């Protein structure tokens, strides 16, 4: 049995773990980043890469907006293959009822300094001519962007390595806590601080975490340059994201730099196998075609699935474990972990180094879920 020692061991090299390793290493800490597989190969490889401000709750808004601004700041350093694109989001309102939500959202964003423009049917058509006729309007949020998550994770990991972090792929962690990380090969690593950043698998290492796998499907088309200009999402997406029981699908398309269209998305609980579910996929594509009929003529060249790490209150777990002072959590980001990776890492590192956090940490602290359980 061998034993090595670090200030921080981050378990899980998805975008959240890579961002944490980067943040700790840049603050001069001795960091090891471990993954059983590869960097950015979990949900990070499956996600859409929409860096989006959301407003389900004040806490969700604070973390998504803060993180989006961190991405904006990082932009000049990002290599070309991260494919950072300022395309903006258009939230599409199918009818007058959904237009009310457009006005509410614009008002909410406006009060908090996020630019957002209401589009009437003509303006919407000018922005996205391939949407179907008869849509009531939309909301354009120009500061939302898209990027390619696996390359963003790789960039963060490489920046951590430049600051003397160690990367150990092929490290299957079987136990993490009380300052010791045990690997399946029998070796041990000791650390002042352990960060569980294993996404949807986090409860396997930290039993009792209230995280459920929430499966999602995506499809990507062949190249159709110029067909789509913004990330376009139906406002009904929010209903889909909020539903806790039934399987749901929503229209959510993203233009890739290659001219391909990334089509999402679905949400399912209780589907722990990673195979594509033909019924859900067909429902998802049908939904997309209802909003953008031209998609019917396009060829889809690949489909896949991924697992979001869902918490009961839809906020991530960022901060110390309530029962182990060496263990910190950075998981539970559901469908927003690409966006919120940078904010998560910054908050965690600020907390651990005793710096002031830019936004209040309380809504994300893991101890809150214990309060829920006992409430
Ligand atoms: C279909 C879909 C679309 C999405 N779209 C978006 C989007 O547009 N915008 C957005 O912000 N977010 C989106 N997300 C969410 C986002 O992908 C995730 O929140 C994010 O990738 C989570 O990153 P992570 O690093 O926490 O987890 P992961 O990327 O899953 O990484 C966890 C890592 O831990 C490793 N691991 C697990 N267990 C162990 C162990 N025992 N030992 C060692 N290593 C271990 C795994 O190998 C993996 O590499 C989407 C997700 C899905 C599924």
């Amino acid at each position: 049995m061998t034993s090595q020692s670090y200030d921080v061991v981050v378990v899980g090299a998805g975008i959240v773990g890579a961002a944490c390793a980067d943040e700790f290493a840049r603050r001069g800490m001795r960091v090891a980043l471990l993954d059983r597989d590869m960097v950015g190969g979990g949900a990070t490889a499956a996600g859409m890469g929409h860096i989006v401000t959301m407003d389900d709750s004040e806490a969700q808004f604070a973390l998504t907006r803060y993180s989006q601004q961190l991405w904006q700041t990082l932009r000049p350093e990002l290599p070309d293959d991260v494919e950072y694109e300022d395309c903006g989001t258009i939230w599409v309102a199918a009818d007058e009822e959904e237009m009310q939500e457009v006005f509410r959202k614009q008002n909410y964003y406006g009060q908090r300094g996020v630019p957002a423009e209401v589009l009437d049917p003509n303006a919407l058509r000018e922005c996205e001519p391939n949407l179907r006729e008869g849509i009531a309007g939309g909301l354009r949020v120009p500061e939302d962007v898209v990027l390619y998550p696996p390359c963003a994770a790789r960039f963060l990991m490489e920046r951590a390595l430049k600051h003397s972090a160690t990367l150990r792929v092929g490290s299957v962690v079987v136990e993490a806590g009380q300052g010791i990380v045990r690997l399946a090969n029998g070796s041990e690593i000791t650390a002042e601080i352990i960060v569980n950043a294993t996404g949807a698998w986090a409860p396997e290492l930290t039993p009792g975490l209230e995280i459920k796998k929430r499966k999602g499907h995506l499809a990507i088309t062949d190249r159709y340059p110029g067909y789509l200009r913004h990330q376009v999402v139906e406002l009904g997406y929010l209903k889909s994201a909020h539903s806790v029981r039934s399987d749901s699908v929503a229209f959510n398309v993203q233009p890739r730099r290659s001219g391909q269209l990334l089509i999402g998305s679905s949400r399912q609980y209780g589907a722990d196998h990673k195979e594509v579910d033909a019924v859900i996929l067909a429902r998802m594509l049908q939904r997309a075609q209802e909003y953008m009929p031209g998609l019917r003529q396009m060829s889809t060249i690949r489909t896949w699935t991924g697992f979001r790490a869902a918490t009961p209150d839809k906020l991530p777990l960022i901060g110390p474990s309530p029962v182990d002072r060496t263990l910190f959590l950075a998981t539970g980001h559901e469908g927003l972990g690409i966006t919120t990776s940078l904010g998560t890492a910054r908050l965690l590192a600020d907390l651990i180094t005793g710096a002031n956090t830019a936004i209040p940490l309380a809504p994300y602290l893991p101890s809150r879920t214990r309060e829920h359980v006992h409430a």
Side-chain angles (χ1 to χ4, degrees):
M1 187 190 287
T2 56
S3 180
Q4 286 174 307
S5 185
Y6 294 90
D7 295 329
V8 185
V9 171
V10 180
V11 186
I15 198 156
V16 173
C20 290
D22 173 50
E23 195 66 47
F24 288 119
R26 285 188 301 115
R27 294 184 194 210
M29 299 168 98
R30 291 177 307 116
V31 179
L33 175 62
L34 313 185
D35 202 288
R36 62 186 172 195
D37 196 356
M38 58 198 275
V39 175
T44 298
M48 267 188 135
H50 186 201
I51 305 299
V52 55
T53 294
M54 295 283 280
D55 62 347
D56 278 5
S57 62
E58 286 295 339
Q60 190 191 59
F61 173 82
L63 185 60
T64 53
R65 182 63 177 159
Y66 173 49
S67 299
Q68 186 175 66
Q69 289 169 332
L70 292 173
W71 281 111
Q72 285 168 357
T73 308
L74 192 57
R75 180 191 192 163
E77 281 187 60
L78 294 173
D80 202 45
D81 64 5
V82 173
E83 297 185 11
Y84 185 107
E85 299 282 345
D86 287 304
C87 59
T89 304
I90 295 181
W91 293 94
V92 174
D95 52 30
E96 287 309 319
E97 193 189 335
E98 288 188 357
M99 273 314 276
Q100 295 315 307
E101 173 61 9
V102 161
F103 291 117
R104 186 208 60 78
K105 214 171 167 61
Q106 185 203 29
N107 189 37
Y108 183 95
Y109 283 178
Q111 285 172 355
R112 290 159 183 77
V114 181
E117 175 197 2
V118 175
L119 305 173
D120 66 16
N122 289 336
L124 179 63
R125 265 206 107 57
E126 253 176 55
C127 286
E128 289 296 343
N130 292 307
L131 281 167
R132 73 165 163 77
E133 299 276 353
I135 292 182
L139 185 73
R140 195 169 81 88
V141 186
E143 291 192 6
D144 289 349
V145 304
V146 304
L147 50 71
Y148 184 53
C151 289
R154 199 212 53 226
F155 163 79
L156 293 166
M157 176 275 293
E158 285 174 351
R159 201 166 66 157
L161 298 193
K162 281 188 198 140
H163 289 85
S164 306
T166 302
L167 171 68
R168 293 176 50 167
V169 290
S171 300
V172 180
V173 175
V174 291
E175 223 180 307
Q178 308 301 341
I180 299 173
V181 173
R182 287 201 177 84
L183 305 188
N185 67 7
S187 63
E188 285 184 1
I189 305 173
T190 56
E192 296 284 318
I193 287 160
I194 300 166
V195 180
N196 181 350
T198 55
W201 297 275
E204 292 173 16
L205 288 184
T206 309
L209 286 187
E210 285 192 277
I211 287 185
K212 282 194 199 160
K213 289 196 174 102
R214 203 169 190 194
K215 185 174 179 177
H217 287 70
L218 290 179
I220 194 157
T221 68
D222 210 337
R223 293 167 190 243
Y224 301 93
Y227 188 87
L228 183 72
R229 302 165 187 169
H230 302 79
Q231 176 113 13
V232 183
V233 191
E234 65 164 297
L235 272 166
Y237 171 88
L238 301 170
K239 289 177 211 149
S240 156
H242 293 167
S243 109
V244 285
R245 287 198 180 83
S246 56
D247 299 347
S248 59
V249 297
F251 167 60
N252 184 356
V253 283
Q254 179 181 99
R256 302 299 319 165
R257 188 182 285 177
S258 57
Q260 292 171 287
L261 273 63
L262 189 50
I263 306 175
S265 60
S266 67
R267 281 182 150 79
Q268 286 173 281
Y269 284 117
D272 287 359
H273 57 88
K274 64 177 190 185
E275 283 72 35
V276 169
D277 176 332
V279 175
I280 287 281
L281 179 67
R283 268 180 65 194
M284 186 182 92
L285 294 175
Q286 171 68 31
R287 187 72 181 167
Q289 290 159 7
E290 284 166 17
Y291 279 84
M292 215 161 236
L295 294 177
R296 281 194 194 100
Q297 274 74 55
M298 295 187 178
S299 29
T300 297
I301 58 172
R302 197 164 79 81
T303 56
W304 66 91
T305 67
F307 294 101
R308 307 174 183 92
T311 60
D313 64 3
K314 314 212 175 337
L315 291 172
L317 303 174
I318 306 171
S321 149
V323 293
D324 177 350
R325 63 174 185 80
T326 66
L327 181 63
F328 288 73
L329 303 174
T331 180
H333 297 82
E334 223 269 12
L336 289 169
I338 309 299
T339 304
T340 55
S341 53
L342 296 188
T344 298
R346 189 66 65 92
L347 290 175
L348 205 54
D350 284 343
L351 173 76
I352 286 168
T353 58
N356 288 332
T357 57
I359 60 172
L361 189 60
Y364 324 109
L365 286 174
S367 52
R368 79 182 188 277
T369 61
R370 286 164 67 86
E371 282 154 23
H372 281 292
V373 169
H374 298 298

